[in-house]
Amino acid sequence: MISFPNAKINIGLNITGKRPDGYHNLETIFFPVGWSDALEIAFSDELAFSASGIEISGPPKSNLVIKAYQLLANEYSLPPLRIHLHKQIPFGAGLGGGSADGAFMLMMLDKAFKLDIQKDKMVEYAARLGSDCPFFVLNRPTFATGRGEVMNPINLSLKGLSLFMVKPNVEVSTAAAFKNIVPQEPKVSLQKLISLPVPEWKKHIFNQFELSVFQQFPEIEAVKNQLYSLGAIYASMSGSGSCVFGLFVDLPDEIEGCFPSSYKIFRQNL
């Protein structure tokens, strides 16, 4: 069985407060996009994990795909599997690729072995893997709060627009993204602002992480400025960075040549 875990972008992101558990509360809009990995499972004599594509650091046991398998194997009778992950969603980009892999693994196991896990229970399992994982169970435009696990699906269509995503040659750690961030409640919630016409987003919808990340990684800010100069009606860094996306009414034919060839690029008609 094979599936294609997809990435997400954040349209706006506010850090609203510090939690007693050491994490932060936030509000954001999650929006699924087509930049995808490939995840395959097959029967095996023993549990085995392999990977291709973008190099994955760390031992297999730390990968969310394996953690997802172990999570369900502890509660259901699962056979050993051969698992292969072809990695295409870049790391340290704010795209949730690892979270998507873990969530899709849960859903693949549910389908393959007819576990009949209810959606609410699947979201609960995903939350145990990581804060962004529950979104990929829903995988539709969502207003998220808490650590990102409190989700309210919203009606948001970007049909007719083109998405262009640029990942510079830097990875932004969580610690770097939170440097100099001061949590504060927004004057107007993203849940209300997202209903504005997309060209108005530029004046009202912001990713708070940009304040910190752009100071440390000016090349990321340069990508955002370049997207606007090329005609984007809205551009933003996704999550805690470093990928930047732009929304276009008319995507220039020559746009890919406007960025270094070493940068990772993805484009999609929405």
Side-chain angles (χ1 to χ4, degrees):
M1 178 180 288
I2 189 168
S3 68
F4 299 93
N6 61 276
K8 57 81 178 167
I9 54 174
N10 295 78
I11 302 174
L13 196 158
N14 297 315
I15 307 301
T16 59
K18 186 75 177 287
R19 298 163 55 102
D21 59 11
Y23 291 95
H24 288 80
N25 285 322
L26 57 83
E27 67 161 25
T28 191
I29 303 292
F30 288 133
F31 191 90
V33 298
W35 204 342
S36 301
D37 294 333
L39 179 62
E40 184 177 19
I41 59 174
F43 288 108
S44 177
D45 294 332
E46 60 182 7
L47 180 63
F49 176 79
S50 60
S52 57
I54 299 173
E55 184 177 355
I56 300 174
S57 61
K61 66 180 181 181
S62 67
N63 192 284
L64 286 181
V65 167
I66 297 298
K67 289 185 176 182
Y69 173 86
Q70 297 292 0
L71 177 61
L72 293 189
N74 288 337
E75 299 194 23
Y76 301 90
S77 179
L78 297 182
L81 297 174
R82 184 177 73 251
I83 302 166
H84 184 79
L85 175 61
H86 181 66
K87 194 69 187 163
Q88 298 187 105
I89 303 172
F91 295 101
L95 300 177
S99 297
D101 296 336
F104 270 69
M105 185 63 174
L106 292 175
M107 293 185 288
M108 286 180 72
L109 294 171
D110 177 48
K111 183 177 180 179
F113 300 107
K114 298 180 173 58
L115 304 180
D116 296 323
I117 301 173
Q118 297 300 307
K119 181 64 69 70
D120 289 349
K121 186 65 175 178
M122 185 66 74
V123 169
E124 179 185 323
Y125 282 135
R128 288 160 63 178
L129 291 179
S131 298
D132 285 350
C133 293
F135 163 72
F136 292 101
V137 175
L138 301 181
N139 220 7
R140 54 164 295 183
T142 299
F143 174 67
T145 56
R147 290 171 52 193
E149 83 285 6
V150 182
M151 299 179 296
N152 293 286
I154 59 173
N155 293 318
L156 175 61
S157 174
L158 299 178
K159 187 176 181 180
L161 296 178
S162 295
L163 172 72
F164 192 80
M165 302 169 66
V166 182
K167 164 64 169 64
N169 297 326
V170 293
E171 295 182 16
V172 180
S173 68
T174 301
F178 272 101
K179 187 178 181 180
N180 300 322
I181 289 290
V182 179
Q184 57 184 354
E185 289 285 345
K187 294 180 179 178
V188 183
S189 172
L190 280 171
Q191 194 169 22
K192 182 176 182 179
L193 292 174
I194 202 67
S195 63
L196 292 170
V198 176
E200 293 292 309
W201 290 0
K202 182 179 180 179
K203 297 183 290 186
H204 300 282
I205 296 179
F206 307 99
N207 181 340
Q208 192 178 350
F209 280 127
E210 290 183 355
L211 297 172
S212 175
V213 171
F214 286 176
Q215 291 178 0
Q216 302 172 71
F217 304 97
E219 59 266 56
I220 302 176
E221 182 178 22
V223 170
K224 180 178 178 179
N225 292 337
Q226 179 78 315
L227 290 173
Y228 273 129
S229 72
L230 290 166
I233 58 173
Y234 179 73
S236 175
M237 188 177 74
S238 183
S240 57
S242 59
C243 187
V244 182
F245 67 90
L247 297 174
F248 291 79
V249 175
D250 296 301
L251 193 63
D253 292 335
E254 72 282 2
I255 188 169
E256 292 189 17
C258 296
F259 299 93
S261 60
S262 59
Y263 285 15
K264 292 181 173 62
I265 301 293
F266 178 82
R267 59 197 298 166
Q268 176 183 355
N269 293 325
L270 298 172

